Amino acid sequence: MLFISLFISFTEARELLVGGNSNAWKIPSSESESLNKWAEASRFQIGDSLVWNYDPSKDSVVQVSKKDYDSCSTSSPIAVYKDGNTKVKLDKSGPFYFISGADGQCEKGQKLVTVVLSGRHGFFHLSPAPSPVEFEGPAVAPTSGGTSLRGGFMVIFGVLVGLLLF
């Protein structure tokens, strides 16, 4: 049962407080306090949500393109959030770019990029066999180590499915 609950917790969408605490949306005092350091240490999946807490009279969150992220430009935002308790759902794989909407804050480091993993990076993933069209050239026999490892995962997965059904 513990393993099943771990499996479910790895596949459920989560709400992640940006920076890990409620006052993280600010100019970092050092490189080690950069929100990008926090993001690099986190795993974001499709369906997760990022949550920001900030004073809406002093700041905002602006979702931007990579170009605008790099130049700290708010002139053509993807989205602007000014409510002080912003929640953004990560609805696709790839990078998401956010900068502060307060003048000069982005240039001082108040920005965040997150990279959302594609579905194939989940806890368990069974993919269909690739079509023969994808491969050109001679077929190569699988090594015994790869076959037994794959077989071992299938046995474990089969046991788990069996436990869920009974």
Side-chain angles (χ1 to χ4, degrees), residues 8-9 11-15 45-49 89:
I8 291 169
S9 70
T11 59
E12 289 181 1
R14 304 165 296 160
E15 287 190 4
Q45 297 180 357
I46 296 171
D48 287 350
S49 295
K89 186 172 184 177

mmCIF file with all atom_site columns, all heavy atoms in Angstrom, residues 8-9 11-15 45-49 89:
data_model
loop_
_atom_site.group_PDB
_atom_site.id
_atom_site.type_symbol
_atom_site.label_atom_id
_atom_site.label_alt_id
_atom_site.label_comp_id
_atom_site.label_asym_id
_atom_site.label_entity_id
_atom_site.label_seq_id
_atom_site.pdbx_PDB_ins_code
_atom_site.Cartn_x
_atom_site.Cartn_y
_atom_site.Cartn_z
_atom_site.occupancy
_atom_site.B_iso_or_equiv
_atom_site.pdbx_formal_charge
_atom_site.auth_seq_id
_atom_site.auth_comp_id
_atom_site.auth_asym_id
_atom_site.auth_atom_id
_atom_site.pdbx_PDB_model_num
ATOM 1  N N   . ILE A 1 8  ? 0.836  7.138  -6.554  1.00 0.00 ? 8  ILE A N   1
ATOM 2  C CA  . ILE A 1 8  ? -0.216 8.134  -6.747  1.00 0.00 ? 8  ILE A CA  1
ATOM 3  C C   . ILE A 1 8  ? 0.315  9.531  -6.467  1.00 0.00 ? 8  ILE A C   1
ATOM 4  O O   . ILE A 1 8  ? 0.034  10.467 -7.197  1.00 0.00 ? 8  ILE A O   1
ATOM 5  C CB  . ILE A 1 8  ? -1.444 7.800  -5.865  1.00 0.00 ? 8  ILE A CB  1
ATOM 6  C CG1 . ILE A 1 8  ? -2.114 6.531  -6.404  1.00 0.00 ? 8  ILE A CG1 1
ATOM 7  C CG2 . ILE A 1 8  ? -2.429 8.961  -5.834  1.00 0.00 ? 8  ILE A CG2 1
ATOM 8  C CD1 . ILE A 1 8  ? -3.169 5.956  -5.491  1.00 0.00 ? 8  ILE A CD1 1
ATOM 9  N N   . SER A 1 9  ? 1.125  9.701  -5.423  1.00 0.00 ? 9  SER A N   1
ATOM 10 C CA  . SER A 1 9  ? 1.642  11.027 -5.102  1.00 0.00 ? 9  SER A CA  1
ATOM 11 C C   . SER A 1 9  ? 2.572  11.544 -6.190  1.00 0.00 ? 9  SER A C   1
ATOM 12 O O   . SER A 1 9  ? 2.674  12.741 -6.402  1.00 0.00 ? 9  SER A O   1
ATOM 13 C CB  . SER A 1 9  ? 2.357  11.026 -3.748  1.00 0.00 ? 9  SER A CB  1
ATOM 14 O OG  . SER A 1 9  ? 3.556  10.311 -3.826  1.00 0.00 ? 9  SER A OG  1
ATOM 15 N N   . THR A 1 11 ? 2.110  10.999 -9.352  1.00 0.00 ? 11 THR A N   1
ATOM 16 C CA  . THR A 1 11 ? 1.347  11.266 -10.561 1.00 0.00 ? 11 THR A CA  1
ATOM 17 C C   . THR A 1 11 ? 0.298  12.353 -10.375 1.00 0.00 ? 11 THR A C   1
ATOM 18 O O   . THR A 1 11 ? -0.281 12.796 -11.338 1.00 0.00 ? 11 THR A O   1
ATOM 19 C CB  . THR A 1 11 ? 0.667  9.978  -11.060 1.00 0.00 ? 11 THR A CB  1
ATOM 20 O OG1 . THR A 1 11 ? -0.200 9.482  -10.026 1.00 0.00 ? 11 THR A OG1 1
ATOM 21 C CG2 . THR A 1 11 ? 1.692  8.928  -11.436 1.00 0.00 ? 11 THR A CG2 1
ATOM 22 N N   . GLU A 1 12 ? 0.025  12.774 -9.152  1.00 0.00 ? 12 GLU A N   1
ATOM 23 C CA  . GLU A 1 12 ? -0.970 13.815 -8.907  1.00 0.00 ? 12 GLU A CA  1
ATOM 24 C C   . GLU A 1 12 ? -0.390 15.200 -9.158  1.00 0.00 ? 12 GLU A C   1
ATOM 25 O O   . GLU A 1 12 ? 0.783  15.456 -8.905  1.00 0.00 ? 12 GLU A O   1
ATOM 26 C CB  . GLU A 1 12 ? -1.455 13.750 -7.454  1.00 0.00 ? 12 GLU A CB  1
ATOM 27 C CG  . GLU A 1 12 ? -2.324 12.567 -7.162  1.00 0.00 ? 12 GLU A CG  1
ATOM 28 C CD  . GLU A 1 12 ? -2.813 12.556 -5.727  1.00 0.00 ? 12 GLU A CD  1
ATOM 29 O OE1 . GLU A 1 12 ? -2.492 13.483 -4.960  1.00 0.00 ? 12 GLU A OE1 1
ATOM 30 O OE2 . GLU A 1 12 ? -3.517 11.611 -5.366  1.00 0.00 ? 12 GLU A OE2 1
ATOM 31 N N   . ALA A 1 13 ? -1.255 16.094 -9.636  1.00 0.00 ? 13 ALA A N   1
ATOM 32 C CA  . ALA A 1 13 ? -0.850 17.490 -9.815  1.00 0.00 ? 13 ALA A CA  1
ATOM 33 C C   . ALA A 1 13 ? -0.653 18.118 -8.435  1.00 0.00 ? 13 ALA A C   1
ATOM 34 O O   . ALA A 1 13 ? -1.341 17.786 -7.478  1.00 0.00 ? 13 ALA A O   1
ATOM 35 C CB  . ALA A 1 13 ? -1.913 18.228 -10.600 1.00 0.00 ? 13 ALA A CB  1
ATOM 36 N N   . ARG A 1 14 ? 0.295  19.045 -8.373  1.00 0.00 ? 14 ARG A N   1
ATOM 37 C CA  . ARG A 1 14 ? 0.610  19.678 -7.097  1.00 0.00 ? 14 ARG A CA  1
ATOM 38 C C   . ARG A 1 14 ? 0.513  21.188 -7.225  1.00 0.00 ? 14 ARG A C   1
ATOM 39 O O   . ARG A 1 14 ? 0.643  21.733 -8.313  1.00 0.00 ? 14 ARG A O   1
ATOM 40 C CB  . ARG A 1 14 ? 2.035  19.320 -6.657  1.00 0.00 ? 14 ARG A CB  1
ATOM 41 C CG  . ARG A 1 14 ? 2.313  17.846 -6.568  1.00 0.00 ? 14 ARG A CG  1
ATOM 42 C CD  . ARG A 1 14 ? 3.789  17.554 -6.500  1.00 0.00 ? 14 ARG A CD  1
ATOM 43 N NE  . ARG A 1 14 ? 4.428  17.982 -7.745  1.00 0.00 ? 14 ARG A NE  1
ATOM 44 C CZ  . ARG A 1 14 ? 5.726  18.217 -7.893  1.00 0.00 ? 14 ARG A CZ  1
ATOM 45 N NH1 . ARG A 1 14 ? 6.543  18.063 -6.888  1.00 0.00 ? 14 ARG A NH1 1
ATOM 46 N NH2 . ARG A 1 14 ? 6.229  18.601 -9.049  1.00 0.00 ? 14 ARG A NH2 1
ATOM 47 N N   . GLU A 1 15 ? 0.320  21.857 -6.093  1.00 0.00 ? 15 GLU A N   1
ATOM 48 C CA  . GLU A 1 15 ? 0.433  23.309 -6.017  1.00 0.00 ? 15 GLU A CA  1
ATOM 49 C C   . GLU A 1 15 ? 1.751  23.607 -5.325  1.00 0.00 ? 15 GLU A C   1
ATOM 50 O O   . GLU A 1 15 ? 1.970  23.172 -4.202  1.00 0.00 ? 15 GLU A O   1
ATOM 51 C CB  . GLU A 1 15 ? -0.739 23.915 -5.241  1.00 0.00 ? 15 GLU A CB  1
ATOM 52 C CG  . GLU A 1 15 ? -2.020 23.884 -6.016  1.00 0.00 ? 15 GLU A CG  1
ATOM 53 C CD  . GLU A 1 15 ? -3.130 24.699 -5.358  1.00 0.00 ? 15 GLU A CD  1
ATOM 54 O OE1 . GLU A 1 15 ? -2.891 25.357 -4.317  1.00 0.00 ? 15 GLU A OE1 1
ATOM 55 O OE2 . GLU A 1 15 ? -4.242 24.659 -5.877  1.00 0.00 ? 15 GLU A OE2 1
ATOM 56 N N   . GLN A 1 45 ? 5.656  19.081 -13.369 1.00 0.00 ? 45 GLN A N   1
ATOM 57 C CA  . GLN A 1 45 ? 4.961  18.193 -14.291 1.00 0.00 ? 45 GLN A CA  1
ATOM 58 C C   . GLN A 1 45 ? 3.717  18.885 -14.816 1.00 0.00 ? 45 GLN A C   1
ATOM 59 O O   . GLN A 1 45 ? 3.172  19.803 -14.181 1.00 0.00 ? 45 GLN A O   1
ATOM 60 C CB  . GLN A 1 45 ? 4.585  16.900 -13.584 1.00 0.00 ? 45 GLN A CB  1
ATOM 61 C CG  . GLN A 1 45 ? 5.790  16.112 -13.120 1.00 0.00 ? 45 GLN A CG  1
ATOM 62 C CD  . GLN A 1 45 ? 5.415  14.825 -12.413 1.00 0.00 ? 45 GLN A CD  1
ATOM 63 O OE1 . GLN A 1 45 ? 4.253  14.528 -12.204 1.00 0.00 ? 45 GLN A OE1 1
ATOM 64 N NE2 . GLN A 1 45 ? 6.409  14.052 -12.034 1.00 0.00 ? 45 GLN A NE2 1
ATOM 65 N N   . ILE A 1 46 ? 3.257  18.434 -15.975 1.00 0.00 ? 46 ILE A N   1
ATOM 66 C CA  . ILE A 1 46 ? 2.022  18.967 -16.547 1.00 0.00 ? 46 ILE A CA  1
ATOM 67 C C   . ILE A 1 46 ? 0.911  18.791 -15.519 1.00 0.00 ? 46 ILE A C   1
ATOM 68 O O   . ILE A 1 46 ? 0.748  17.729 -14.939 1.00 0.00 ? 46 ILE A O   1
ATOM 69 C CB  . ILE A 1 46 ? 1.677  18.247 -17.860 1.00 0.00 ? 46 ILE A CB  1
ATOM 70 C CG1 . ILE A 1 46 ? 2.756  18.516 -18.907 1.00 0.00 ? 46 ILE A CG1 1
ATOM 71 C CG2 . ILE A 1 46 ? 0.305  18.680 -18.377 1.00 0.00 ? 46 ILE A CG2 1
ATOM 72 C CD1 . ILE A 1 46 ? 2.628  17.686 -20.170 1.00 0.00 ? 46 ILE A CD1 1
ATOM 73 N N   . GLY A 1 47 ? 0.150  19.854 -15.287 1.00 0.00 ? 47 GLY A N   1
ATOM 74 C CA  . GLY A 1 47 ? -0.940 19.827 -14.311 1.00 0.00 ? 47 GLY A CA  1
ATOM 75 C C   . GLY A 1 47 ? -0.579 20.473 -12.983 1.00 0.00 ? 47 GLY A C   1
ATOM 76 O O   . GLY A 1 47 ? -1.462 20.845 -12.212 1.00 0.00 ? 47 GLY A O   1
ATOM 77 N N   . ASP A 1 48 ? 0.716  20.598 -12.684 1.00 0.00 ? 48 ASP A N   1
ATOM 78 C CA  . ASP A 1 48 ? 1.138  21.302 -11.471 1.00 0.00 ? 48 ASP A CA  1
ATOM 79 C C   . ASP A 1 48 ? 0.767  22.776 -11.588 1.00 0.00 ? 48 ASP A C   1
ATOM 80 O O   . ASP A 1 48 ? 0.595  23.297 -12.694 1.00 0.00 ? 48 ASP A O   1
ATOM 81 C CB  . ASP A 1 48 ? 2.655  21.202 -11.270 1.00 0.00 ? 48 ASP A CB  1
ATOM 82 C CG  . ASP A 1 48 ? 3.124  19.832 -10.815 1.00 0.00 ? 48 ASP A CG  1
ATOM 83 O OD1 . ASP A 1 48 ? 2.274  18.990 -10.465 1.00 0.00 ? 48 ASP A OD1 1
ATOM 84 O OD2 . ASP A 1 48 ? 4.351  19.605 -10.822 1.00 0.00 ? 48 ASP A OD2 1
ATOM 85 N N   . SER A 1 49 ? 0.664  23.449 -10.453 1.00 0.00 ? 49 SER A N   1
ATOM 86 C CA  . SER A 1 49 ? 0.419  24.889 -10.432 1.00 0.00 ? 49 SER A CA  1
ATOM 87 C C   . SER A 1 49 ? 1.474  25.577 -9.590  1.00 0.00 ? 49 SER A C   1
ATOM 88 O O   . SER A 1 49 ? 1.872  25.063 -8.541  1.00 0.00 ? 49 SER A O   1
ATOM 89 C CB  . SER A 1 49 ? -0.962 25.195 -9.839  1.00 0.00 ? 49 SER A CB  1
ATOM 90 O OG  . SER A 1 49 ? -1.986 24.696 -10.660 1.00 0.00 ? 49 SER A OG  1
ATOM 91 N N   . LYS A 1 89 ? -1.397 27.479 -13.709 1.00 0.00 ? 89 LYS A N   1
ATOM 92 C CA  . LYS A 1 89 ? -1.342 26.050 -14.013 1.00 0.00 ? 89 LYS A CA  1
ATOM 93 C C   . LYS A 1 89 ? -0.339 25.820 -15.139 1.00 0.00 ? 89 LYS A C   1
ATOM 94 O O   . LYS A 1 89 ? -0.371 26.500 -16.165 1.00 0.00 ? 89 LYS A O   1
ATOM 95 C CB  . LYS A 1 89 ? -2.713 25.525 -14.410 1.00 0.00 ? 89 LYS A CB  1
ATOM 96 C CG  . LYS A 1 89 ? -2.741 24.023 -14.591 1.00 0.00 ? 89 LYS A CG  1
ATOM 97 C CD  . LYS A 1 89 ? -4.141 23.511 -14.791 1.00 0.00 ? 89 LYS A CD  1
ATOM 98 C CE  . LYS A 1 89 ? -4.114 21.994 -14.862 1.00 0.00 ? 89 LYS A CE  1
ATOM 99 N NZ  . LYS A 1 89 ? -5.466 21.460 -14.995 1.00 0.00 ? 89 LYS A NZ  1
#
